Amino acid sequence: MIDPAANEVIGAQCGGEVVVELRADVLWVTINRPKRRNALNAQVVEAIGKAVGAAENLEGCRAIVLTGAGDDAFCAGADLQKQTEGFAFAVDYSDPTHYLVNLFRSMLACRLPIIARVNGHVMAGGFGLLCACDMAVASAHVLMGTPETKIGLIPMMIYPFMQRVVPVRKLTEMCITGEPFTAQEALDLGIVNYVVEKPELDDKMEWLLGRILNKSPTAIRLGKQAFKAMQDMGIDQGLEFAQAMVPSMASTQDAKEGLAAFREKRLPVWTGR
């Protein structure tokens, strides 16, 4: 069981513009800026990163859902409104690591599945967040896009994740033209896993989460770690790595339990070890 007190601790860390809730075995992270179309600023990005970083250390937490408040926007990208700390794209050259880069690194390092609940439109940096998630369920009314060229920019920091998800010719088109595309087009391109009508979004999310949470948490955790490592390997190196990983995974308690349950024709009882 998850300690309910952890909910309050993480919520306090993240502040009011990001709502963090533990629902059963899933950490829900909601960007709570509907009047700003759930746009990103440094505080919001850092709060999401804290939640993602904390999730794996929460006993019993099995997955993360990232979404936006309301029905209008999942995330409209960087908040272009002038901020008290400076323009949204400013970088401190004494510490040039951008806060969005730090968030993406946290998401990349996380060994729990991160699922995007795409409740509304997804633009610019918000599209980068979507691509950084492991899976996505989108509402049919959603539009997506990378409109940065319309304001004299290019989607630079989100490109490393985009190129892992979007076919290269469509990726080039969307980055250069800046024109939006529909959720159905995103489904056809493999950017999202499922598209449903707005009233069915939460039911589909619960369905997908159910298919994740009844599987071995150890296999999922080690699998994500291995997949990340193999993405940057050549095929021969990847095969060698995979061959070395198999006996390591087979020695876990979850693997032994899974095999025993299969032989005994019963449901496995996962320990996450």
Side-chain angles (χ1 to χ4, degrees), residues 116-216:
R117 174 187 174 272
V118 187
N119 55 297
H121 302 320
V122 187
M123 297 293 161
F127 187 70
L129 280 184
L130 167 61
C131 291
C133 292
D134 300 301
M135 289 170 265
V137 179
S139 181
H141 76 284
V142 164
L143 292 176
M144 304 183 186
T146 53
E148 284 89 338
T149 53
K150 296 179 181 181
I151 58 169
L153 297 169
I154 200 78
M156 193 67 67
M157 284 189 294
I158 64 176
Y159 193 87
F161 282 100
M162 291 168 63
Q163 68 178 347
R164 294 186 177 202
V165 176
V166 185
V168 64
R169 291 191 184 276
K170 294 302 293 187
L171 175 58
T172 302
E173 178 185 349
M174 70 174 64
C175 288
I176 290 175
T177 69
E179 297 300 327
F181 53 96
T182 67
Q184 182 60 49
E185 289 174 300
L187 179 65
D188 294 341
L189 290 169
I191 297 169
V192 300
N193 298 78
Y194 301 98
V195 172
V196 296
E197 295 302 320
K198 189 187 300 186
E200 301 169 11
L201 182 61
D202 286 331
D203 286 343
K204 196 66 176 180
M205 279 296 307
E206 291 303 320
W207 172 84
L208 180 57
L209 287 168
R211 301 185 77 178
I212 295 169
L213 298 178
N214 65 1
K215 307 305 189 301
S216 162

Side-chain angles (χ1 to χ4, degrees), residues 29-267:
V29 182
T30 304
I31 305 171
N32 187 35
R33 305 184 77 208
K35 292 182 179 179
R36 297 293 306 156
R37 295 173 56 81
N38 296 322
L40 302 172
N41 58 27
Q43 292 73 29
V44 167
V45 169
E46 288 167 6
I48 298 170
K50 284 182 180 179
V52 170
E56 198 168 343
N57 295 319
L58 292 176
E59 184 179 353
C61 186
R62 298 282 311 280
I64 301 169
V65 171
L66 179 61
T67 191
D71 296 325
D72 185 42
F74 171 80
C75 176
D79 193 339
L80 300 183
Q81 191 176 51
K82 185 83 171 180
Q83 303 293 321
T84 55
E85 71 276 10
F87 194 55
F89 298 99
V91 174
D92 178 358
Y93 290 102
S94 67
D95 182 14
T97 302
H98 195 276
Y99 50 80
L100 191 58
V101 172
N102 290 333
L103 171 58
F104 284 150
R105 284 177 172 154
S106 294
M107 295 176 74
L108 190 62
C110 182
R111 298 186 300 169
L112 300 178
I114 306 175
I115 304 99
R117 174 187 174 272
V118 187
N119 55 297
H121 302 320
V122 187
M123 297 293 161
F127 187 70
L129 280 184
L130 167 61
C131 291
C133 292
D134 300 301
M135 289 170 265
V137 179
S139 181
H141 76 284
V142 164
L143 292 176
M144 304 183 186
T146 53
E148 284 89 338
T149 53
K150 296 179 181 181
I151 58 169
L153 297 169
I154 200 78
M156 193 67 67
M157 284 189 294
I158 64 176
Y159 193 87
F161 282 100
M162 291 168 63
Q163 68 178 347
R164 294 186 177 202
V165 176
V166 185
V168 64
R169 291 191 184 276
K170 294 302 293 187
L171 175 58
T172 302
E173 178 185 349
M174 70 174 64
C175 288
I176 290 175
T177 69
E179 297 300 327
F181 53 96
T182 67
Q184 182 60 49
E185 289 174 300
L187 179 65
D188 294 341
L189 290 169
I191 297 169
V192 300
N193 298 78
Y194 301 98
V195 172
V196 296
E197 295 302 320
K198 189 187 300 186
E200 301 169 11
L201 182 61
D202 286 331
D203 286 343
K204 196 66 176 180
M205 279 296 307
E206 291 303 320
W207 172 84
L208 180 57
L209 287 168
R211 301 185 77 178
I212 295 169
L213 298 178
N214 65 1
K215 307 305 189 301
S216 162
T218 302
I220 292 171
R221 190 171 64 246
L222 294 179
K224 272 202 67 177
Q225 186 174 4
F227 295 161
K228 172 195 167 188
M230 286 189 283
Q231 275 185 323
D232 298 321
M233 296 179 185
I235 189 166
D236 286 337
Q237 187 182 9
L239 288 170
E240 290 294 328
F241 179 83
Q243 181 176 262
M245 284 292 296
V246 169
S248 175
M249 294 187 70
S251 68
T252 65
Q253 290 183 23
D254 269 9
K256 293 173 183 176
E257 167 62 12
L259 183 57
F262 175 78
R263 289 171 175 165
E264 297 164 14
K265 295 181 171 56
R266 61 174 175 81
L267 294 174

